Amino acid sequence: MKNRRIKISLLVIVSITILYYVLSILLVRNGQFVNHYFPAQLSIENSVYNKNFIREVSPNKLVVVDTIVYEKIKDKFEIYLCEAYYYKSYGIFNVFNHRVDFNNSICLNVNFLGEERIFIKYNDGRLKRVGDSESFWNSFKLGSNVNVKIFNDSKKEIFVMDFLHLNK
């Protein structure tokens, strides 16, 4: 009798787990069971609130291409380092949500506080609009050099910044 209850209990638990897995894959837009969430770091205050702010930084090298536009927007940037991490969870209900830190990596955030549409490119990667969720995937190995290019809304280069040997 006791063995039968254990078998039925195990069967129910396994069935619910399999059902949860299948339903999660079918109902989630991307069709994945494991969810990764990279939190946006829109401002220094946001990063401090998330407890991952390290410090503000200045570029080691700055090359201005468009001096007129640069003079208008230069004081509207926040540039800072933060810990590189993401959140991982499972299924449609985000079960077992937990933080995963990137070891030996650091996050370089370039935040624009102005109203203009500004685009950014890290290390000759894809051009991204500053403030979009994709623009926050900017994690780099500790000690690496990073080249950051800033563009206006017509995608003309405004200035270039070089950050050498990023470290905490």
Side-chain angles (χ1 to χ4, degrees):
M1 183 76 172
K2 192 173 183 181
N3 279 342
R4 185 169 180 188
R5 281 188 180 172
I6 292 173
K7 286 180 182 179
I8 291 174
S9 297
L10 284 175
L11 183 63
V12 168
I13 290 171
V14 169
S15 298
I16 289 173
T17 305
I18 291 172
L19 181 65
Y20 178 69
Y21 177 78
V22 171
L23 285 176
S24 293
I25 290 175
L26 293 175
L27 296 176
V28 175
R29 269 186 268 154
N30 61 8
Q32 296 181 348
F33 182 69
V34 179
N35 303 310
H36 299 96
Y37 170 68
F38 298 90
Q41 305 297 328
L42 297 175
S43 66
I44 289 176
E45 293 81 21
N46 188 340
S47 186
V48 168
Y49 176 79
N50 288 335
K51 297 181 175 117
N52 70 327
F53 176 79
I54 297 173
R55 64 183 164 88
E56 289 189 68
V57 291
S58 298
N60 298 91
K61 180 180 174 187
L62 177 68
V63 177
V64 178
V65 177
D66 187 340
T67 54
I68 296 170
V69 176
Y70 175 75
E71 288 301 319
K72 291 180 186 176
I73 65 171
K74 71 179 180 182
D75 296 327
K76 298 178 184 177
F77 282 92
E78 289 181 331
I79 305 170
Y80 64 97
L81 298 175
C82 63
E83 295 173 8
Y85 70 97
Y86 65 95
Y87 290 102
K88 187 175 185 179
S89 63
Y90 305 92
I92 194 165
F93 299 119
N94 294 315
V95 177
F96 305 120
N97 189 19
H98 62 283
R99 178 176 159 157
V100 178
D101 292 310
F102 289 110
N103 295 331
N104 300 319
S105 293
I106 197 164
C107 182
L108 173 66
N109 277 329
V110 178
N111 183 34
F112 183 66
L113 303 173
E115 297 295 319
E116 299 89 346
R117 287 185 56 172
I118 300 294
F119 292 86
I120 191 167
K121 185 186 285 191
Y122 292 97
N123 285 343
D124 295 322
R126 242 182 45 209
L127 193 64
K128 305 168 187 175
R129 184 168 180 258
V130 173
D132 284 352
S133 60
E134 285 187 340
S135 70
F136 301 111
W137 181 241
N138 42 16
S139 181
F140 304 97
K141 293 284 182 195
L142 286 174
S144 63
N145 299 331
V146 179
N147 176 269
V148 178
K149 295 179 181 177
I150 304 295
F151 300 84
N152 63 12
D153 61 346
S154 57
K155 300 190 175 90
K156 292 184 181 173
E157 196 172 278
I158 302 170
F159 63 97
V160 179
M161 299 178 286
D162 286 327
F163 299 88
L164 306 176
H165 309 294
L166 288 179
N167 281 305
K168 294 182 180 184

